[in-house]
């Protein structure tokens, strides 16, 4: 396995849509190695998720995992989830504001509105069909990662740019403060 280089904001690969993986290719050594490397890279940098665009590969693959994460101290745990060719459907018009960061936008945080419940249809790393309902933080991470696969970065979704903060100032001035509401 290998820790991969992460593309940062401004790299065009973050702005391109990723191509679907043909189901018969999911089990190939190349895709399996990519998935393993993405998991290792996500864990190395304490990300809550990682999309293939972020490691310079335009395939519709994302990995998600939240263990006790110093980047998201209040986040609930999410088991390791490998997402291939995701289709995300909002299940509610209800949106919630929450802080997000991104390994491609180092040391920054901003408040992003997301649907509080989504349906996720995708393949897992064995090519099996997955169809699940995700809520709250898990739904947020799914929306963040699938945005990447469509060339969208969370900063595009920030409604109030005044929340965009460097991590030190976020810790000092925002953390623990009630999240701004409309
Ligand atoms: Zn990201």
């Amino acid at each position: 396995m290998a820790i991969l280089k992460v593309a940062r904001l401004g790299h065009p690969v973050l702005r391109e849509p990723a191509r679907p993986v043909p189901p018969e290719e999911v089990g190939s050594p190349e895709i399996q190695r990519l998935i393993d490397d993405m998991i290792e890279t996500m864990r190395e940098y304490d990300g809550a998720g990682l999309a293939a665009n972020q490691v310079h590969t335009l395939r519709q693959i994302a990995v998600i995992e939240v263990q006790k994460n110093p980047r998201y101290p209040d986040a609930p745990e999410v088991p390791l989830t490998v997402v291939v060719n995701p289709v995300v459907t909002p299940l509610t018009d209800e949106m919630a504001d929450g802080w997000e960061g991104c390994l491609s936008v180092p040391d920054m945080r901003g408040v992003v509105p997301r649907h509080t419940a989504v349906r996720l249809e995708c393949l897992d790393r064995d090519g099996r069909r997955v169809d699940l309902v995700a809520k709250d933080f898990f739904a947020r991470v799914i929306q963040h990662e699938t945005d990447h696969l469509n060339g969208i970065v969370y900063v595009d979704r920030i409604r109030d740019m005044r929340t965009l903060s460097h991590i030190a100032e976020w810790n000092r001035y925002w953390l623990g403060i009630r999240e701004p509401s409309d």
Side-chain angles (χ1 to χ4, degrees):
M1 297 215 288
I3 294 165
L4 304 173
K5 185 176 180 186
V6 177
R8 291 190 298 192
L9 192 65
H11 195 298
V13 76
L14 296 174
R15 296 312 194 170
E16 292 176 41
R19 300 189 316 277
V21 182
E24 64 275 14
E25 283 182 28
V26 174
S28 69
E30 294 76 19
I31 295 295
Q32 291 295 310
R33 188 182 321 118
L34 173 61
I35 290 170
D36 284 336
D37 289 349
M38 287 175 63
I39 292 168
E40 188 175 21
T41 303
M42 170 179 66
R43 289 175 174 167
E44 172 70 15
Y45 296 113
D46 291 322
L50 187 71
N53 304 50
Q54 294 180 275
V55 293
H56 308 85
T57 305
L58 288 169
R59 308 309 297 268
Q60 286 194 20
I61 300 171
V63 295
I64 294 168
E65 183 182 49
V66 181
Q67 299 171 324
K68 284 294 160 203
N69 188 327
R71 281 166 54 89
Y72 300 93
D74 299 324
E77 296 191 28
V78 176
L80 177 64
T81 306
V82 176
V83 173
V84 179
N85 301 345
V87 176
V88 173
T89 310
L91 294 178
T92 169
D93 291 332
E94 185 193 354
M95 308 286 281
D97 284 339
W99 289 100
E100 294 188 19
C102 181
L103 296 180
S104 294
V105 191
D107 300 328
M108 300 292 286
R109 293 287 185 279
V111 170
V112 182
R114 298 285 190 188
H115 296 282
T116 56
V118 296
R119 178 183 183 187
L120 170 66
E121 296 166 272
C122 64
L123 302 177
D124 68 12
R125 70 174 301 164
D126 299 315
R128 289 184 297 239
R129 293 185 57 83
V130 173
D131 188 344
L132 60 80
V133 171
K135 294 183 177 170
D136 302 321
F137 186 72
F138 189 25
R140 175 174 297 280
V141 179
I142 288 170
Q143 290 168 86
H144 179 117
E145 300 309 329
T146 52
D147 266 359
H148 273 303
L149 300 178
N150 293 309
I152 296 168
V153 182
Y154 84 92
V155 292
D156 306 348
R157 303 265 193 208
I158 296 177
R159 195 157 43 196
D160 182 353
M161 287 299 288
R162 292 173 296 186
T163 64
L164 188 62
S165 306
H166 277 281
I167 188 82
E169 283 70 20
W170 179 71
N171 272 303
R172 183 168 177 184
Y173 296 109
W174 289 100
L175 192 61
I177 296 176
R178 269 184 81 82
E179 290 173 6
S181 56
D182 289 332

